[in-house]
Amino acid sequence: MVNVAPLNPELQKIANEELGEVATRISEDLNALREWIKHQPHLKPRQDDQFLIQFLRGCKYSLEKAKDKLDLHFSLKTKYPEMLNVTNVDEPKFREVHNLGCFLELPIPINGCGPRIVVFRFNYPTNKYSIDDIFQPGCAVHELMLLKDPYACICGLSYIVDFGLATASHYMQMTPNFCKKMVSFLEKSMPYRIKSVYYINVTPAAQQFFKILFPFLSEKLRQRIKVLGQDMQELYQYIAPKYLPKDYGGELASLSELAADYNKVWDAHRDFFKENANCGSDESLRPGKPLDIDGLFGVGGSFRKIVVD
């Protein structure tokens, strides 16, 4: 019997129509993915149904794409453990960084049954934390959504990236290497559909960051980006205030309050993260060619200055 949390009728309809899910085939599809895992000596992934089904859903039930994403997911976590492989959510620095409220999921999906909203902001002191430090709890949030968030898993994610407090020292941390790791993890190895990205409070200084970041993004994702200024009315054209925190003139709790409350989620899932220590990839055992992270990107072309809407 398949051990997957049931979806409500509205979400199940979306899964069927947009992801190609067929209830009577889920067991067969999961078994096919597990059979492939058995023959990958280098790979030690999680294998519970709830985790694996999201790789199938996120790849619209293409087994080959799900294999590639799953492989890359655990290979990246092994290659960059300091940023991508959280094993102890009780570690003091982890909670300290989380409580800054830099990287959070919001409690209500768009329109009540749409993409999950994730906010990232640069409200941290760069003399104390690196961008990898800040991104670590964000990666853990994305991992937990695989387990507990059907809206993110079925309807996808919408990001709000707030540059309002970004300084020159923040931009200096966002190196090409960081951008490569971030895009590799979020776009190429996580089984979510990224539906939209809203850059808000964008200033001319952000152009240099965009120049570094955009060549790493797929053309599909670039088309889903909106670059907005400081007028929140621009954001409200896409996301109504009822789905936003007080920080952006919305009706939800503030980001600081949401961060404090999310500590209960870390407490409830500490064992889930401890299990990460037993998962990963041993590249010395990989059959065939070694994994080429740099080869994931067709980096090239020119960067045209982004026009703020």
Side-chain angles (χ1 to χ4, degrees):
M1 182 177 177
V2 173
N3 187 20
V4 172
L7 302 173
N8 67 43
E10 193 170 8
L11 282 176
Q12 188 64 67
K13 185 172 186 289
I14 295 170
N16 295 346
E17 294 178 355
E18 297 186 15
L19 308 183
E21 184 161 298
V22 179
T24 56
R25 279 179 32 199
I26 288 176
S27 179
E28 178 184 341
D29 292 331
L30 286 170
N31 287 338
L33 187 53
R34 282 202 186 88
E35 187 62 27
W36 171 79
I37 291 170
K38 285 181 185 178
H39 294 89
Q40 308 309 310
H42 66 292
L43 200 57
K44 294 200 305 182
R46 298 182 65 92
Q47 293 197 47
D48 49 291
D49 290 347
Q50 190 68 52
F51 181 82
L52 289 182
I53 195 173
Q54 182 51 29
F55 281 83
L56 293 168
R57 285 171 169 168
C59 297
K60 297 186 177 181
Y61 282 85
S62 164
L63 183 60
E64 293 308 310
K65 289 181 180 178
K67 291 175 185 177
D68 290 343
K69 236 179 224 294
L70 189 68
D71 190 353
L72 180 60
H73 180 79
F74 286 98
S75 297
L76 286 171
K77 284 165 70 69
T78 300
K79 186 176 179 64
Y80 305 117
E82 70 288 344
M83 185 168 110
L84 304 181
N85 197 39
V86 175
T87 58
N88 182 10
V89 295
D90 293 318
E91 200 273 321
K93 187 177 179 180
F94 179 90
R95 295 292 182 119
E96 184 179 292
V97 171
H98 163 75
N99 286 329
L100 293 170
C102 299
F103 213 132
L104 294 167
E105 60 171 319
L106 299 186
I108 307 176
I110 297 175
N111 298 325
C113 190
R116 176 67 63 190
I117 305 168
V118 178
V119 175
F120 179 57
R121 57 182 180 159
F122 298 90
N123 63 318
Y124 66 93
T126 54
N127 63 344
K128 189 173 183 180
Y129 305 108
S130 71
I131 189 72
D132 283 10
D133 292 333
I134 298 301
F135 202 71
Q136 188 189 58
C139 293
V141 166
H142 282 76
E143 279 197 81
L144 272 189
M145 288 192 292
L146 292 176
L147 185 71
K148 70 178 190 65
D149 189 348
Y151 294 96
C153 293
I154 303 301
C155 302
L157 300 174
S158 286
Y159 291 95
I160 297 173
V161 183
D162 181 0
F163 285 89
L165 296 175
T167 65
S169 57
H170 288 106
Y171 291 122
M172 289 179 66
Q173 289 188 347
M174 291 181 278
T175 62
N177 187 51
F178 167 74
C179 291
K180 180 179 71 175
K181 287 190 289 187
M182 178 181 69
V183 175
S184 297
F185 186 73
L186 292 183
E187 185 183 8
K188 298 185 181 295
S189 90
M190 291 300 285
Y192 295 117
R193 295 186 296 163
I194 300 177
K195 305 299 285 187
S196 54
V197 182
Y198 302 101
Y199 291 116
I200 65 171
N201 293 318
V202 174
T203 64
Q207 294 291 336
Q208 186 60 35
F209 168 63
F210 292 145
K211 187 175 182 179
I212 295 171
L213 173 67
F214 276 42
F216 290 112
L217 303 178
S218 68
E219 182 60 30
K220 179 190 289 186
L221 184 52
R222 291 185 214 179
Q223 296 298 321
R224 296 179 179 180
I225 289 174
K226 298 288 183 184
V227 182
L228 310 177
Q230 298 179 338
D231 185 352
M232 286 299 102
Q233 293 297 326
E234 296 177 332
L235 181 61
Y236 299 161
Q237 295 177 41
Y238 305 102
I239 304 177
K242 68 183 294 184
Y243 306 115
L244 296 171
K246 293 176 184 176
D247 310 69
Y248 304 128
E251 299 175 13
L252 302 179
S254 70
L255 291 171
S256 295
E257 291 170 318
L258 292 171
D261 191 57
Y262 201 86
N263 281 294
K264 299 172 187 173
V265 179
W266 299 132
D267 293 343
H269 293 90
R270 53 173 54 93
D271 289 341
F272 171 84
F273 288 102
K274 287 178 181 177
E275 291 168 3
N276 278 346
N278 301 318
C279 300
S281 173
D282 183 346
E283 292 303 306
S284 69
L285 299 177
R286 177 183 291 276
K289 295 181 180 179
L291 183 67
D292 179 13
I293 298 294
D294 293 324
L296 294 171
F297 303 97
V299 178
S302 60
F303 173 80
R304 291 179 294 175
K305 187 173 181 179
I306 296 295
V307 178
V308 178
D309 286 352

